[in-house]
Amino acid sequence: MKQKNNGNWVSWNENLKHNYKTMFSITSEEELQEVIANNKKIRFFGSKQSSADIAAGTEALINMTAYNKIVSYDYNKKTITVQSGLILSELLEAVESVGWCIPCLPDINTITIGGALATGTHGTSGKLLSEYMTECRLILADGSVKTITQEDELIDAVRVSLGMLGVMSTITFQCEPEYILHVKEKPESDNEWLPKIKSRLKKHDFLRILWLPHTDKGYVITGDKISSEQEVIENKGPDYLKHRRTASKILYKYSHKFPWITAIANKILAKAFFSSKKEHKGSLYQATVTKSRGSTLELAEWTIALDKFPQVFEEIKTEINKWSNKSFIHIPMDVRFVYQDNSWLSYAYKQETVTMGCVSRNAATADTYEAFKSIEKIFLKHGGRPHWGKRFSAKDAQLSKVYPKWEAFKELRTELDPTNKFLNPYLTKLVNAKTLVHENA
Ligand SMILES: Cc1cc2nc3c(=O)[nH]c(=O)nc-3n(C[C@H](O)[C@H](O)[C@H](O)COP(=O)(O)OP(=O)(O)OC[C@H]3O[C@@H](n4cnc5c(N)ncnc54)[C@H](O)[C@@H]3O)c2cc1C
């Protein structure tokens, strides 16, 4: 096993930095067990693409990314088992190569499987990625292995658990036969797309709305399953559309100093990049997941019950359009839909859910981006739940109000990790854990 000493851990957008004493790069389950058993405090990380400070901050760290093999396929059950440091793109390519798919995907393919599951990563018009997990081997704080299957009650606690109950070692996913989507994209005014959400969710297999703040418009993306032979006259829009992220970066360059610039920039960006209709076909992965991003950014995302979304949306719109407001928001706010589940820390725990992203194109000045604060305030007021991997400031007191199973999760965490081995300072505050005597030693 490789080991590095006395270094600096830096997240992908450089907003999080931590010194460490030892960083282990593991390649087998045995190594993972050994490192966990032999360290008093430890965190583990994948692609470091979370904005929340959940992946490092302890003296000992585990880099999971070399633990990245495909372990096995079960062709009868359509399942695939992988090591948790595997990058999502590699899992999806492996799954597609045998004619299968995972039917709900996030808009990023560079994250690790362990990181994705731990934070409740999701796509749209389906369930969280972790809901497609049928089995996992979890390394507990004492270094032992616990196999958790769909039959175990524990699975509802483990699916989304921020690496606070243990480290996921290998994971088995249930796949489905691959399908082809006919994707259509077009701009619509807010008055048009907002009332149509429920009917569109019934009608289409895929629905995503890129809301364009300060323009009164959204960009609606729908997808319908078609046979692979069906012809679609492809229209990918003008060639310059591929420069959207670069153009945004330039137009927003001084928006942290003069936030009102954002409103003007958004109108320009909406006209240039979100006014054409598009049409194409492909697998869910090929047709809907962004494969490369030119620059970093900072992200928050909040979620709310489907029925409450229209009210929350109107409140956000009113707030950000006030002249007294400093919460100008960069394009786009990604509106997606997640079906209810039973996972304790899932955004969609027992409710059909809408998720709404909030992006700052300028990661370095994210601390002064007022929108993150305003959005959080409005969502929390309505019982919204934050994305675990993104930026938010809510802690134990607020989270216990919006997650019915929050206290049960905390109890289980204390039982499985009685010495707080897996807690860094951020997570300690998040769950309001008591600092133990040995932690100050
Ligand atoms: C550009 C961009 C686009 C994004 N798009 C989406 C999206 O479409 N949908 C969405 O829901 N999210 C999205 N995210 C959020 C992203 O999916 C999460 O932040 C995810 O956790 C990142 O994975 P990672 O490999 O970088 O994990 P890291 O950030 O390295 O780690 C995240 C957490 O997982 C824990 N962890 C890592 N490996 C394991 C393991 N094996 N077992 C247990 N815990 C583990 C870490 O300790 C940490 O707590 C996006 C983020 C970015 C930057």
Side-chain angles (χ1 to χ4, degrees):
M1 153 179 31
K2 287 194 189 137
Q3 197 174 314
K4 278 193 202 163
N5 293 326
N6 301 320
N8 192 230
W9 181 96
V10 183
S11 66
W12 83 300
N13 66 11
E14 301 185 358
N15 274 353
L16 301 170
K17 292 181 183 162
H18 291 287
N19 291 330
Y20 62 82
K21 275 201 175 149
T22 323
M23 186 197 290
F24 304 92
S25 182
I26 59 107
T27 55
S28 69
E29 189 173 82
E30 292 71 31
E31 287 178 355
L32 185 56
Q33 287 180 267
E34 186 192 319
V35 172
I36 291 173
N38 293 337
N39 283 277
K40 278 196 180 149
K41 280 259 173 205
I42 198 146
R43 283 305 297 171
F44 25 92
F45 61 89
S47 300
K48 306 194 273 189
Q49 290 195 282
S50 296
S51 296
D53 198 0
I54 52 180
T58 46
E59 290 186 348
L61 292 177
I62 309 176
N63 179 350
M64 299 294 295
T65 56
Y67 186 53
N68 59 5
K69 302 278 176 301
I70 291 166
V71 179
S72 61
Y73 292 85
D74 184 325
Y75 293 100
N76 290 326
K77 291 186 184 157
K78 287 200 180 58
T79 60
I80 182 168
T81 301
V82 300
Q83 295 175 342
S84 63
L86 186 73
I87 301 293
L88 183 61
S89 62
E90 291 179 29
L91 169 67
L92 298 176
E93 279 158 26
V95 160
E96 286 201 344
S97 73
V98 290
W100 305 341
C101 73
I102 295 177
C104 186
L105 297 176
D107 191 16
I108 181 166
N109 65 354
T110 52
I111 55 179
T112 60
I113 303 304
L117 299 189
T119 57
T121 292
H122 65 91
T124 191
S125 306
K127 297 197 167 193
L128 298 188
L129 203 55
S130 53
E131 295 299 310
Y132 303 98
M133 174 176 92
T134 56
E135 187 171 320
C136 101
R137 284 168 69 81
L138 190 70
I139 313 299
L140 302 178
D142 61 4
S144 62
V145 185
K146 192 168 178 60
T147 301
I148 300 164
T149 69
Q150 286 193 101
E151 280 70 49
D152 294 316
E153 278 179 35
L154 200 57
I155 201 156
D156 287 335
V158 168
R159 284 188 203 278
V160 182
S161 48
L162 292 109
M164 284 198 274
L165 303 182
V167 188
M168 286 173 168
S169 169
T170 57
I171 291 148
T172 303
F173 284 100
Q174 180 65 58
C175 303
E176 290 180 11
E178 190 180 36
Y179 55 84
I180 298 299
L181 273 184
H182 179 184
V183 178
K184 291 183 189 165
E185 311 183 14
K186 61 170 182 170
E188 258 179 33
S189 73
D190 294 346
N191 296 339
E192 248 180 294
W193 68 260
L194 192 63
K196 286 191 189 157
I197 288 178
K198 281 194 178 168
S199 61
R200 277 188 165 140
L201 283 172
K202 281 204 188 106
K203 188 170 167 205
H204 300 290
D205 299 300
F206 180 96
L207 177 65
R208 178 179 186 187
I209 292 137
L210 302 177
W211 186 50
L212 312 172
H214 312 292
T215 71
D216 295 330
K217 285 196 177 62
Y219 194 70
V220 179
I221 307 173
T222 57
D224 300 295
K225 288 182 186 174
I226 54 169
S227 84
S228 55
E229 287 87 48
Q230 190 173 322
E231 275 205 36
V232 166
I233 299 168
E234 194 171 270
N235 171 11
K236 290 212 160 174
D239 206 36
Y240 68 79
L241 291 186
K242 62 175 181 269
H243 300 299
R244 169 167 73 87
R245 288 185 172 86
T246 318
S248 307
K249 186 102 190 149
I250 295 167
L251 284 169
Y252 294 135
K253 191 164 177 199
Y254 296 105
S255 65
H256 60 290
K257 285 198 180 137
F258 310 105
W260 50 268
I261 288 181
T262 305
I264 299 166
N266 285 10
K267 289 186 178 70
I268 298 170
L269 290 166
K271 209 160 185 80
F273 297 100
F274 293 97
S275 59
S276 43
K277 284 189 178 180
K278 292 200 263 176
E279 198 162 340
H280 55 109
K281 75 170 191 179
S283 68
L284 179 69
Y285 178 44
Q286 296 308 338
T288 70
V289 177
T290 302
K291 309 294 182 307
S292 77
R293 284 186 169 82
S295 54
T296 62
L297 34 86
E298 181 70 321
L299 293 165
E301 185 172 68
W302 282 83
T303 72
I304 192 80
L306 178 60
D307 287 332
K308 289 188 186 165
F309 178 69
Q311 194 190 342
V312 170
F313 177 78
E314 291 300 350
E315 221 168 288
I316 289 172
K317 205 170 154 176
T318 308
E319 177 64 28
I320 67 169
N321 285 338
K322 277 186 201 156
W323 272 110
S324 59
N325 149 64
K326 291 195 183 84
S327 305
F328 292 94
I329 305 184
H330 296 173
I331 272 177
M333 291 188 84
D334 199 348
V335 178
R336 290 179 286 179
F337 306 91
V338 185
Y339 301 149
Q340 64 172 297
D341 61 46
N342 293 316
S343 297
W344 293 7
L345 299 193
S346 161
Y347 321 118
Y349 178 74
K350 308 258 192 233
Q351 64 184 24
E352 305 293 346
T353 295
V354 182
T355 69
M356 191 176 205
C358 181
V359 59
S360 167
R361 297 268 157 211
N362 196 339
T365 59
D367 284 346
T368 61
Y369 194 64
E370 287 293 319
F372 287 146
K373 293 169 206 156
S374 317
I375 298 294
E376 172 154 359
K377 208 163 140 196
I378 294 172
F379 270 94
L380 269 180
K381 188 174 115 193
H382 291 276
R385 300 169 180 167
H387 188 300
W388 296 115
K390 302 190 183 179
R391 182 181 271 247
F392 64 95
S393 62
K395 295 278 179 294
D396 181 57
Q398 290 103 327
L399 297 171
S400 66
K401 289 190 194 131
V402 294
Y403 283 97
K405 285 287 199 178
W406 183 248
E407 294 305 325
F409 179 84
K410 282 167 55 185
E411 271 171 39
L412 179 65
R413 190 208 67 77
T414 317
E415 196 183 306
L416 292 179
D417 181 14
T419 64
N420 296 342
K421 180 175 279 195
F422 296 135
L423 293 188
N424 68 5
Y426 178 95
L427 292 168
T428 304
K429 281 196 198 134
L430 196 78
V431 298
N432 194 19
K434 286 195 193 84
T435 309
L436 306 172
V437 179
H438 82 273
E439 293 182 81
N440 291 324

